[in-house]
Amino acid sequence: LVTQVEHQLEDKLMISRTAILVAPTKQGDFYVRGQEEHKRKSIKRSSALMRYLVSDRRVVVLEGLERKIEDTSEDTERKPLEESKAELDGLDASVVAPVVIGENVNAIIVLGRKMSGDPFGDDDINLLELLGPQLASAIVKSQLYDQIRQFNVKLQKEIDIATHDLQSANDQLQERNRLLQVIQNITNLMTKSLNLKKVTQDIVDSIDKEMNYLGGVLLFLGKDKRKIFPEALTEKGAITKTVLRLLPKPLTEYQGNFQDDSTLTVKAMRSGKMEVGENLSDFFSPPIPPRICDAIQFAINVKSVVAVPIFSEEVIVGALVYTHNMPASELRKTDFEMMQSLASQTGVVYRNIELYRQLEQSNTELGEANAHLQQLDQAKSEFVSIASHQLRTPMTGIMGYLSMLVAGDFGKVKKDQQQILQNLLDESQRMIRLIRIFLNVSKIESGKLVLERNTVHIEDVIQKSVEVLSKAASDKGLKLIFVKPKQPLPEITIDKDKVGDVVMNLIDNAIKYTDKGSVTVSAKKEGDMIHTWIIDTGIGIEPHEAKNLFNKFVRGYGIAQINPDGSGLGLYVARRLTEAHGGKIWVESDGKGKGSRFQFTLPLNPSKEGELSAGGDHLQYTRQNR
C-alpha cells in the first residue's frame, strides 16, 4: 500500500523521490518500511521536526520554513525551527506532511524536489491535506489486516500444535483404555473360580489371548522360601507342544533355587523390580540347561523376555515371565504397565485363594467344633431337664409339708419355730420358681415346650401370682398392688401356668430390685390384645441396657451387687413364653433410680391352631376348655 501511494505521488506531482515513514507502534519512531536498518531514514518521535508537526498538524514546506526562520528573531523560537530544517535537509525533503487520525500522527509523507524545479503550490498542498486522512485510514486498515494475518498464522500454528497434542493424547487414551479393558477381562477370568490350578492357567493363557504376547510362565516360591517351581505355562497349541517336546523332562520337575540361583528371574524376585533381557537362558538357566533354553528360544522366535515379581501383601510369592516376538526396544510403556498390572492382580488372587483355603479349613474345624458343642449343649439340656424334674418332685413335697406346718395343720407351733418354718417355706417357694425357670429353658432350647392352652381370665392368673409374692413384698416393706379393671376382661386362650410364670418372674424381679415404695400390677384390653403392666419404684434401668435384658444370662449393670443370687434367665424365659403365645414383652425406664415399667401383650385368641414358631423353636400346644 505504502509503495503504491509513493509511486502515485511521484507520477502525479513529478517528484524525484517520495517516502512514507510509518511508526510500527504508537510510541515508536517513524521510518521507511522495507529498507535495511543501516540505510533506513527515520524521524524520531522526540525530534524537533516531530514536535513541530504534532503541534502544527499541517503540511510543512521547506521554503515556508526557511521564511519563518528568517522572520523569527527570538532564539528560543528560532532554534527548534532551525533543528526542524536541519532534519528536512537530512531527509533531502522539500515537503513533509503528517498523516493524522484523531490525536495521533500515524505516518509522515516526505517529498523530494520537483523534477521541474518549480516550488510546491497551493494545489499540491491541498492535495496532500486531502490525501492525509485517506492515507491514514488506509494505513490503519492495512496494519489491522497485517495484524489479523499474523494472528491467523499464529493461531493456525497453535491449532496445529493443539491438534497434534490432542491426537497424541487421544492415542494415549485409547491405549490406556485398551490396557484397562485387557486388565478387566483378565480380572474377570481370574475371579470366576477359586481353584488355584484353573486360575493360574487362566492367567498365563491371558498373556496370549488378551495381551497378544508370545506367552509366559507363572512361577511360585515354595513355602520353604527356597524352591521356585513352575505353576503354569501358556497353552498355545503348536508352540506349547514345541516347548514341552524340547524339554528332556516334565516342566514341573525344573525347580529353581531362590537362595542360590543368579538368574534374572531370581534377581527380579529379590529386588522387587522388573527385569528385561534378550536371552531365555538368562531367566531360566538354571534349572533348565542353557542349550535347551537356546533351542526353545530359536524354535518359537523369542526376541525379548521380561520377568515381573509377584507380591502378596508386600511378601514375594513368585514371578511372571513374559516372552515376546519383538525386541524390548519396541515394547511400549503400556506394555510394561500391563505386565506389571497382571502380576499385581496375580498377587491379589494368590492371597484370596490362600485366604479361601484357610477359611475352608477354619470352617471345617468350626463345623466339627460346633457339632461337638451341640452335642454338649444337648447333653446339658437333658441333664438340666432331668435334674430339674428330679428336684421339683421332692421340693414340691417339702413345700407342701412346710405350708401345712406353718398353717398349724399338725398342731400349734411355737413362735420362734414359726419364723424358722416360714423362712424355710419362702426358700422352698423360691427354689421351686428357680426349678420352673430351668425346666422352661430346657424345654425351649430342646424344642419340646408344649403349651396347654385353655380359656381363662387373666385377672385370676395375676391374682394368684400376687398372693404368692405378697409376703415377699411385705417383708421388704413394699406395697404389692393389683389394680383390677373396673369391668372384667374378656377371656383369653393361654397356657395359664406358662403365663403365670411370666407374671411371677416379672413381679418377683420388681420386688427384688425395689427397696422402698410399691410394685403395681394392672391389665386392660387394647384391641384384640390384653396389655399387662408391672410398674415399680425401684432402681430403674439405663435406656441402652433395656433392649438386652431379655437375652439369656444378661443382667443390668451393678445388679449382681444388689442380688447376687439371680440366674439371668427369668426375663429370658418370660420373653420366650410371651413370644410363644404370639405376644410381645418390653421394658421402659426413665433411668437409674426412677423405677421401671415392664409390659407384655397377649392376643385374646391364638393366630392359628397347632404349631407355633418362637425365636426359631417349634412349640406344640393343645387347646382345652376351662
Side-chain angles (χ1 to χ4, degrees):
L1 172 66
V2 169
T3 302
Q4 289 178 356
V5 171
E6 288 174 345
H7 290 164
Q8 290 289 332
L9 287 172
E10 289 174 357
D11 292 342
K12 297 295 183 183
L13 299 178
M14 303 296 290
I15 301 171
S16 59
R17 184 183 58 79
T18 303
I20 298 177
L21 281 66
V22 180
T25 63
K26 288 185 178 180
Q27 302 302 322
D29 297 332
F30 295 84
Y31 61 88
V32 178
R33 292 173 62 90
Q35 287 186 345
E36 295 180 17
E37 189 171 350
H38 66 284
K39 299 179 179 179
R40 183 181 294 171
K41 291 186 178 181
S42 64
I43 299 177
K44 293 187 178 296
R45 192 173 287 273
S46 59
S47 67
L49 177 60
M50 189 63 203
R51 290 196 300 272
Y52 184 73
L53 288 172
V54 170
S55 63
D56 202 43
R57 298 207 172 195
R58 290 187 298 178
V59 177
V60 178
V61 181
L62 179 60
E63 290 86 349
L65 183 59
E66 290 174 341
R67 287 194 297 271
K68 193 170 184 179
I69 292 172
E70 292 175 358
D71 295 339
T72 303
S73 59
E74 291 292 333
D75 290 342
T76 55
E77 296 179 2
R78 183 184 180 90
K79 185 176 180 180
L81 295 175
E82 290 176 341
E83 290 177 353
S84 298
K85 178 181 179 303
E87 287 187 61
L88 286 177
D89 293 338
L91 293 170
D92 194 19
S94 295
V95 177
V96 176
V99 178
V100 181
I101 290 183
E103 299 297 324
N104 298 318
V105 176
N106 291 72
I108 300 173
I109 302 173
V110 179
L111 303 180
R113 299 180 185 277
K114 284 190 175 183
M115 290 186 291
S116 63
D118 297 333
F120 286 87
D122 291 339
D123 291 340
D124 300 326
I125 302 303
N126 291 336
L127 175 63
L128 291 174
E129 290 180 346
L130 181 63
L131 179 64
Q134 297 179 15
L135 179 59
S137 177
I139 289 173
V140 170
K141 290 178 181 180
S142 177
Q143 289 174 333
L144 179 61
Y145 172 78
D146 189 50
Q147 291 173 2
I148 293 173
R149 183 183 61 79
Q150 291 177 7
F151 174 78
N152 285 339
V153 170
K154 181 181 178 182
L155 181 62
Q156 187 59 49
K157 288 181 179 178
E158 292 178 351
I159 290 174
D160 291 342
I161 293 171
T163 301
H164 179 270
D165 292 343
L166 183 61
Q167 183 62 46
S168 177
N170 187 54
D171 292 342
Q172 292 178 10
L173 181 61
Q174 288 183 349
E175 189 64 23
R176 179 70 58 183
N177 287 338
R178 187 182 75 85
L179 166 63
L180 293 175
Q181 186 61 52
V182 168
I183 295 301
Q184 183 62 48
N185 292 342
I186 295 173
T187 302
N188 291 339
L189 284 173
M190 294 163 66
T191 54
K192 284 182 179 179
S193 173
L194 288 171
N195 182 294
L196 182 61
K197 191 69 179 175
K198 183 179 185 309
V199 171
T200 52
Q201 191 60 53
D202 286 340
I203 290 172
V204 291
D205 286 348
S206 67
I207 294 174
D208 165 41
K209 295 176 181 178
E210 297 291 340
M211 302 169 77
N212 297 320
Y213 300 155
L214 188 57
V217 181
L218 176 59
L219 305 170
F220 279 144
L221 183 61
K223 294 190 180 297
D224 60 357
K225 301 300 181 183
R226 290 189 61 86
K227 295 294 183 182
I228 302 173
F229 58 91
E231 179 66 30
L233 173 69
T234 301
E235 289 285 353
K236 198 172 182 179
I239 290 179
T240 303
K241 290 179 180 178
T242 300
V243 172
L244 296 177
R245 177 174 53 81
L246 290 171
L247 290 172
K249 55 184 180 180
L251 178 65
T252 54
E253 294 186 19
Y254 291 98
Q255 297 185 358
N257 191 306
F258 184 65
Q259 304 296 331
D260 301 329
D261 290 351
S262 58
T263 62
L264 290 180
T265 302
V266 172
K267 183 179 178 182
M269 293 172 65
R270 288 175 183 165
S271 66
K273 298 179 181 179
M274 187 183 298
E275 291 292 336
V276 183
E278 298 178 353
N279 300 317
L280 207 59
S281 58
D282 292 339
F283 292 82
F284 293 105
S285 181
I288 301 175
R291 59 183 181 81
I292 301 297
C293 290
D294 294 342
I296 293 173
Q297 181 163 0
F298 177 79
I300 64 175
N301 193 30
V302 175
K303 296 293 182 65
S304 61
V305 186
V306 179
V308 184
I310 300 171
F311 286 90
S312 177
E313 295 187 335
E314 299 185 358
V315 177
I316 187 69
V317 295
L320 258 175
V321 182
Y322 302 84
T323 56
H324 302 272
N325 54 10
M326 66 178 72
S329 59
E330 295 182 14
L331 293 173
R332 297 161 296 184
K333 180 181 177 182
T334 51
D335 290 315
F336 291 103
E337 290 176 353
M338 276 198 297
M339 289 186 279
Q340 183 63 65
S341 295
L342 180 55
S344 299
Q345 288 291 328
T346 303
V348 173
V349 170
Y350 177 88
R351 178 58 179 164
N352 290 343
I353 292 175
E354 283 296 304
L355 288 174
Y356 179 73
R357 284 175 171 175
Q358 295 173 14
L359 182 62
E360 278 190 323
Q361 184 178 353
S362 298
N363 285 339
T364 301
E365 294 172 355
L366 286 173
E368 293 172 354
N370 188 50
H372 181 61
L373 287 174
Q374 287 179 350
Q375 293 173 358
L376 292 176
D377 189 58
Q378 182 66 26
K380 179 266 298 180
S381 296
E382 291 177 0
F383 171 76
V384 171
S385 179
I386 293 170
S388 298
H389 275 290
Q390 293 298 319
L391 286 171
R392 184 172 62 173
T393 301
M395 284 304 301
T396 302
I398 291 170
M399 188 178 68
Y401 283 115
L402 287 171
S403 179
M404 293 169 67
L405 284 170
V406 171
D409 291 348
F410 296 104
K412 190 174 180 180
V413 181
K414 294 180 181 180
K415 189 174 182 180
D416 56 343
Q417 294 174 338
Q418 180 81 18
Q419 185 60 46
I420 294 173
L421 291 173
Q422 184 61 56
N423 290 341
L424 289 173
L425 178 60
D426 292 344
E427 289 303 312
S428 297
Q429 290 174 338
R430 188 183 70 81
M431 185 64 71
I432 287 293
R433 290 197 296 273
L434 189 58
I435 290 171
R436 288 178 66 85
I437 288 174
F438 287 147
L439 278 172
N440 283 328
V441 170
S442 175
K443 290 177 180 178
I444 288 170
E445 295 191 341
S446 64
K448 296 178 181 179
L449 182 65
V450 176
L451 298 181
E452 296 182 356
R453 290 179 178 271
N454 46 49
T455 53
V456 299
H457 285 286
I458 192 72
E459 302 100 304
D460 297 338
V461 176
I462 296 172
Q463 183 63 45
K464 182 178 178 181
S465 298
V466 170
E467 290 174 357
V468 171
L469 294 170
S470 60
K471 185 176 185 307
S474 64
D475 288 346
K476 291 189 68 173
L478 302 174
K479 293 180 180 180
L480 177 56
I481 306 166
F482 175 30
V483 181
K484 294 183 178 180
K486 295 180 180 180
Q487 298 294 330
L489 296 176
E491 291 183 328
I492 185 170
T493 304
I494 57 173
D495 183 326
K496 64 178 181 179
D497 291 333
K498 300 295 188 293
V499 174
D501 288 341
V502 174
V503 177
M504 188 81 72
N505 285 341
L506 296 178
I507 296 175
D508 189 35
N509 258 21
I511 293 170
K512 286 178 183 177
Y513 303 114
T514 302
D515 290 331
K516 60 181 180 179
S518 62
V519 176
T520 304
V521 186
S522 61
K524 71 175 182 178
K525 179 179 179 294
E526 292 182 351
D528 58 352
M529 308 288 283
I530 296 295
H531 191 160
T532 303
W533 287 265
I534 294 87
I535 303 174
D536 64 63
T537 58
I539 62 173
I541 303 165
E542 292 292 355
H544 66 273
E545 295 179 0
K547 62 181 179 180
N548 295 320
L549 277 183
F550 295 94
N551 293 334
K552 188 162 55 174
F553 302 125
V554 173
R555 306 183 70 193
Y557 179 76
I559 293 299
Q561 286 75 27
I562 299 172
N563 179 29
D565 297 330
S567 64
L569 294 172
L571 294 180
Y572 168 72
V573 170
R575 175 176 70 84
R576 298 301 296 270
L577 293 178
T578 302
E579 291 174 349
H581 282 81
K584 295 181 179 178
I585 188 169
W586 68 98
V587 62
E588 297 173 353
S589 176
D590 296 328
K592 289 291 186 181
K594 297 182 179 180
S596 304
R597 299 178 295 279
F598 283 86
Q599 305 168 60
F600 68 92
T601 58
L602 296 172
L604 287 168
N605 293 290
S607 59
K608 63 178 182 175
E609 295 289 337
E611 196 172 77
L612 290 175
S613 175
D617 297 319
H618 294 286
L619 306 167
Q620 297 283 337
Y621 73 83
T622 60
R623 183 169 183 175
Q624 303 173 354
N625 291 325
R626 182 175 52 167

